[in-house]
Amino acid sequence: MQYLNRQPSHRDAHHQPYRLADANEEIFEEETEDSMSTNTSDVWNEKAKFINSIISEGYILKKEPCTFNYMFFVISGSLQLKASFVEDEGMVEAGHFFVLSCDQTCSMSIREDAHLVIFKFISIMFSYNIPFFQELAEEKTGPYVFTVLPTNIYLKDLLHLIADGLDKGLGCYHFHKYCNGLLNVILRRSYPRENLLKIYYHIVGKKMDF
């Protein structure tokens, strides 16, 4: 687990403390031009990965338009989003998650020491997902509404698996791909279509053919 802007205790003394800039650098790291030289769905999906972090109160994450889409899961603590598309106070408490598309800009202030699992991805187009998301894109009618969803029991179990696995060094491509597949299954099987459309609204329908 990454401890960002936090002094290590005896229990986590083997972890290196992070500078203030490290959270933004790690989470919002971009690809080089050479690594982005192909547009096949296999390569897009290979660039998806999970990040497991604890970020201290007062830290501000700043997201600019970039290559990746992001899914933020707040395991503990809380954060506050500030953006033109957030209509209320933008508070996101533990046990909730939301999606930010690659073209969105916002800042996220950590209001209480937060444990986050973050999924960064370019494509949602595994072959088994294409028909579902094509249908979802056709259902887009009204305006975009930023939406925060609660994490259900199935998602909580998966997030525990991801956090524990990453904490133990299971950061290989196959681990990320396996967890990505489980995430897709859980979201499609245990969340209503209308909720999935809300969180993926800015992503589906932009480029559905690879």
Side-chain angles (χ1 to χ4, degrees):
M1 183 184 298
Q2 296 168 355
Y3 293 82
L4 305 175
N5 186 23
R6 176 179 182 273
Q7 292 300 316
S9 65
H10 173 73
R11 186 179 64 179
D12 53 74
H14 62 286
H15 292 285
Q16 292 285 68
Y18 283 75
R19 300 187 308 274
L20 283 177
D22 284 342
N24 282 300
E25 290 175 358
E26 171 64 19
I27 295 169
F28 301 119
E29 179 183 12
E30 278 290 83
E31 298 288 334
T32 64
E33 290 185 6
D34 289 342
S35 66
M36 299 293 293
S37 60
T38 180
N39 63 352
T40 64
S41 59
D42 286 342
V43 174
W44 287 138
N45 287 314
E46 286 178 9
K47 296 182 184 300
K49 72 174 183 178
F50 292 89
I51 300 169
N52 184 42
S53 297
I54 289 179
I55 307 180
S56 296
E57 177 182 343
Y59 191 89
I60 299 177
L61 292 167
K62 297 181 179 179
K63 182 192 174 300
E64 301 290 341
C66 57
T67 302
F68 289 92
N69 305 294
Y70 290 86
M71 188 173 288
F72 283 82
F73 300 93
V74 183
I75 310 301
S76 64
S78 63
L79 57 84
Q80 183 176 22
L81 277 89
K82 293 184 179 180
S84 60
F85 53 83
V86 178
E87 297 181 353
D88 54 18
E89 294 182 354
M91 290 297 300
V92 183
E93 305 288 346
H96 293 80
F97 70 101
F98 58 92
V99 173
L100 297 175
S101 63
C102 59
D103 56 349
Q104 288 181 306
T105 300
C106 74
S107 65
M108 292 167 274
S109 301
I110 305 301
R111 293 303 184 188
E112 181 184 355
D113 287 1
H115 177 192
L116 306 178
V117 171
I118 303 158
F119 180 52
K120 58 187 297 186
F121 61 101
I122 296 175
S123 170
I124 52 177
M125 294 298 105
F126 281 111
S127 58
Y128 54 81
N129 272 333
I130 292 176
F132 174 80
F133 282 107
Q134 284 177 333
E135 294 175 3
L136 206 61
E138 294 173 358
E139 297 174 15
K140 293 173 67 172
T141 54
Y144 166 73
V145 177
F146 175 72
T147 301
V148 177
L149 296 179
T151 54
N152 62 26
I153 186 171
Y154 309 108
L155 200 48
K156 287 179 181 178
D157 286 344
L158 174 62
L159 294 171
H160 177 77
L161 169 70
I162 293 170
D164 189 57
L166 292 175
D167 203 22
K168 289 179 169 57
L170 297 177
C172 67
Y173 159 70
H174 296 288
F175 177 78
H176 289 286
K177 183 177 181 181
Y178 173 73
C179 293
N180 186 3
L182 290 177
L183 175 62
N184 288 330
V185 171
I186 290 172
L187 290 176
R188 287 180 54 181
R189 288 298 189 95
S190 61
Y191 284 86
R193 288 174 66 94
E194 56 267 27
N195 285 350
L196 296 182
L197 178 58
K198 288 177 181 178
I199 63 171
Y200 284 124
Y201 195 93
H202 259 264
I203 300 173
V204 295
K206 290 191 174 183
K207 187 175 182 183
M208 306 293 287
D209 55 332
F210 287 96

